[in-house]
Amino acid sequence: MDPTLIKAGDHVIIRMPSNNAKIVCIKENTTVSLGKFGSFRANEIIGTAFGHTYEIEKGGSIKPHKQSSFDNADITEANNKEINDDPNSQKLSFEEIEKLKKQSLSGDVSAQEIINSLTENNESFAKKTEFSKSKYIKRKQRKFMKSFLPLETTVYNLCDYFFTVNPSKIRGIRIDTLSQMLSLANVYSRARVLAVDDGQGLVVASLLSRISEGGMVFGVHDGDVHNYDILRYTNFCAETKERLLTLSWSKLYHKMEPFTEVLAEDASEQDRMGRERRLRGHTKLSNTLDNLNRGNFDALVISTNYNARSVVERLIPYLGGSRMLVVYDQSKEALVELFAWLRESASFVNVQMTESWLREYQVLPSRTHPLMNTSGGGGFLVSAIYLAPPTHEAAAEVADAKAEASN
């Protein structure tokens, strides 16, 4: 099926007129509720395209949203100098507006009809500039319009969603910082990437989105089972998810022993099933450790709650020579120790600490300008190129050179 179309079982980000958003799973024969913006039948959206705005009609059906003539406002000779801030300019009474709201909730009156009534009965509306009219209409649409915009759960959209709704869940990683992490790590389609992600799977999901056949992401995590919660929202196919291998920190230096469990001749069916389950677990752990111990990973990407230097010291032996190390943290102070250690080490070159800065712009005809509000920070990155471990002879030469320099 076309990946640009919504399928049953997909997770979708629903953006409402208020600019609030929620993630829903589209299940057949169910109803999706958007609070005061109405509800619609999930079957109505299955097979439709992402990125189009839909209006909710009475009964839960949907239809494509028609663009307003004020969406493409342009410069005119009109101005707002004759407009006074007078509440009496609205001819409709409070009771009449409340009645329209109740009729809208029941589906008897559409949101567009309410907006038309408000504009027609507003004495100052005709005197406004096209830009002012456009702003007025959009404010009323955010308040009354029963519509929604379905967005695909790409890594970009998920990062933007969680950074707005719950930034602590992803450790405050902003989309531009995440982009820099992927770029600095040089993640390509067949790369083998070693990752530590304590941000509930956002970094791992972004790495998987770049990996194709022949590549692999190896995640090291706390506990017996990983907590990559964001992965379930990505709609990745089973083939993509199979490229993820995970291992608990407690198993990092685990020594495998041959599987020697033998069942008695009179073992029950439940005992046999239990042995098969343990054998599968033993085989899976053995294969996972073999993949780790092969080493020569193409990148080491870290976003951890632990001390960054201690994590790097444990995992750096598995990184291949001339490969990238990228470490993220919300605060600069958490990376200072690591940065100083990398600068002093002879095993790393091009050590950098960077902070990205992002400013969003409104881009509209004749009124492009930066937005007044923006995020204060998107975190810090430490990156470095790891050199191949030197031979004994080269290490001795480096030690002698350092000794001479100190004398």
Side-chain angles (χ1 to χ4, degrees):
M1 190 174 181
D2 189 341
T4 62
L5 300 181
I6 300 171
K7 304 183 293 296
D10 279 356
H11 282 87
V12 178
I13 299 175
I14 301 291
R15 179 154 292 161
M16 291 164 275
S18 61
N19 281 334
N20 292 331
K22 65 185 293 187
I23 298 179
V24 299
C25 182
I26 304 300
K27 298 179 180 179
E28 291 181 309
N29 304 319
T30 60
T31 300
V32 178
S33 175
L34 302 181
K36 72 173 186 177
F37 297 108
S39 58
F40 63 92
R41 296 190 296 270
N43 289 359
E44 294 278 330
I45 201 174
I46 295 174
T48 61
F50 288 104
H52 293 281
T53 303
Y54 298 94
E55 288 186 41
I56 302 175
E57 297 183 307
K58 189 174 182 179
S61 60
I62 62 174
K63 67 176 182 179
H65 171 66
K66 292 183 179 179
Q67 192 177 37
S68 168
S69 60
F70 294 102
D71 291 341
N72 296 315
D74 205 348
I75 295 176
T76 65
E77 295 181 357
N79 59 65
N80 295 331
K81 69 178 182 179
E82 302 296 336
I83 298 176
N84 296 318
D85 187 12
D86 183 6
N88 296 322
S89 62
Q90 178 56 253
K91 296 179 182 177
L92 291 178
S93 66
F94 175 79
E95 290 75 16
E96 289 173 323
I97 294 175
E98 288 298 311
K99 182 180 179 181
L100 288 172
K101 286 182 181 179
K102 290 180 181 179
Q103 291 176 333
S104 174
L105 290 175
S106 63
D108 296 329
V109 175
S110 70
Q112 192 58 51
E113 288 175 334
I114 295 179
I115 296 172
N116 290 340
S117 297
L118 291 173
T119 56
E120 289 169 3
N121 290 278
N122 192 319
E123 293 179 348
S124 61
F125 183 78
K127 302 177 184 178
K128 295 177 182 285
T129 66
E130 293 300 303
F131 295 154
S132 296
K133 290 178 182 178
S134 177
K135 283 185 177 181
Y136 181 87
I137 293 294
K138 287 180 179 178
R139 283 201 305 271
K140 298 308 177 185
Q141 285 178 340
R142 285 197 293 269
K143 191 172 183 179
F144 299 112
M145 186 65 74
K146 289 185 175 181
S147 63
F148 65 92
L149 173 66
L151 298 174
E152 189 177 358
T153 52
T154 60
V155 171
Y156 178 96
N157 288 334
L158 285 172
C159 184
D160 184 59
Y161 170 80
F162 283 110
F163 187 80
T164 303
V165 175
N166 187 8
S168 61
K169 183 183 179 78
I170 58 174
R171 304 191 71 245
I173 299 179
R174 200 170 54 198
I175 185 59
D176 56 315
T177 307
L178 182 62
S179 301
Q180 287 192 42
M181 290 177 71
L182 297 176
S183 178
L184 288 169
N186 190 30
V187 181
Y188 58 95
S189 60
R190 298 177 65 85
R192 296 175 65 247
V193 184
L194 182 59
V196 179
D197 182 7
D198 293 339
Q200 300 210 14
L202 178 66
V203 173
V204 166
S206 63
L207 293 171
L208 281 173
S209 70
R210 294 276 186 106
I211 301 296
S212 63
E213 187 177 354
M216 179 190 69
V217 176
F218 194 106
V220 184
H221 58 83
D222 282 327
D224 295 330
V225 181
H226 68 75
N227 186 27
Y228 298 154
D229 181 61
I230 290 177
L231 274 179
R232 67 191 177 101
Y233 300 124
T234 56
N235 300 330
F236 286 154
C237 63
E239 184 181 359
T240 299
K241 292 180 179 179
E242 287 174 359
R243 299 188 186 111
L244 172 64
L245 296 179
T246 61
L247 184 70
S248 170
W249 279 111
S250 62
K251 300 289 186 182
L252 193 63
Y253 303 119
H254 184 73
K255 301 296 182 183
M256 293 299 299
E257 300 290 340
F259 188 80
T260 57
E261 181 180 347
V262 178
L263 292 177
E265 294 182 0
D266 58 345
S268 65
E269 183 64 25
Q270 186 175 1
D271 292 335
R272 289 189 173 87
M273 292 174 62
R275 182 185 181 279
E276 290 177 1
R277 185 177 65 253
R278 289 186 288 275
L279 177 59
R280 287 195 300 270
H282 180 276
T283 303
K284 181 179 179 181
L285 178 59
S286 178
N287 292 336
T288 301
L289 287 171
D290 287 343
N291 272 289
L292 175 66
N293 294 325
R294 278 170 51 195
N296 286 322
F297 282 91
D298 296 307
L300 173 57
V301 182
I302 298 172
S303 171
T304 181
N305 296 321
Y306 293 120
N307 179 273
R309 175 178 169 177
S310 66
V311 173
V312 171
E313 287 179 329
R314 283 198 174 197
L315 298 181
I316 205 65
Y318 302 103
L319 186 62
S322 299
R323 298 299 192 267
M324 289 299 301
L325 163 70
V326 182
V327 184
Y328 164 84
D329 205 280
Q330 289 175 276
S331 65
K332 179 174 63 177
E333 291 73 18
L335 297 174
V336 168
E337 181 187 356
L338 171 67
F339 179 69
W341 177 70
L342 293 175
R343 289 287 298 270
E344 294 173 0
S345 173
S347 299
F348 298 91
V349 295
N350 196 27
V351 181
Q352 299 181 35
M353 179 185 289
T354 59
E355 178 190 14
S356 60
W357 191 81
L358 179 70
R359 187 70 181 267
E360 291 186 73
Y361 276 71
Q362 170 185 287
V363 181
L364 290 172
S366 305
R367 53 210 154 130
T368 295
H369 61 78
L371 300 184
M372 299 303 293
N373 297 321
T374 187
S375 61
F380 295 81
L381 294 175
V382 167
S383 61
I385 299 174
Y386 176 61
L387 303 179
T391 61
H392 292 295
E393 294 80 4
E397 290 178 5
V398 171
D400 292 341
K402 285 186 175 182
E404 291 178 6
S406 61
N407 294 331

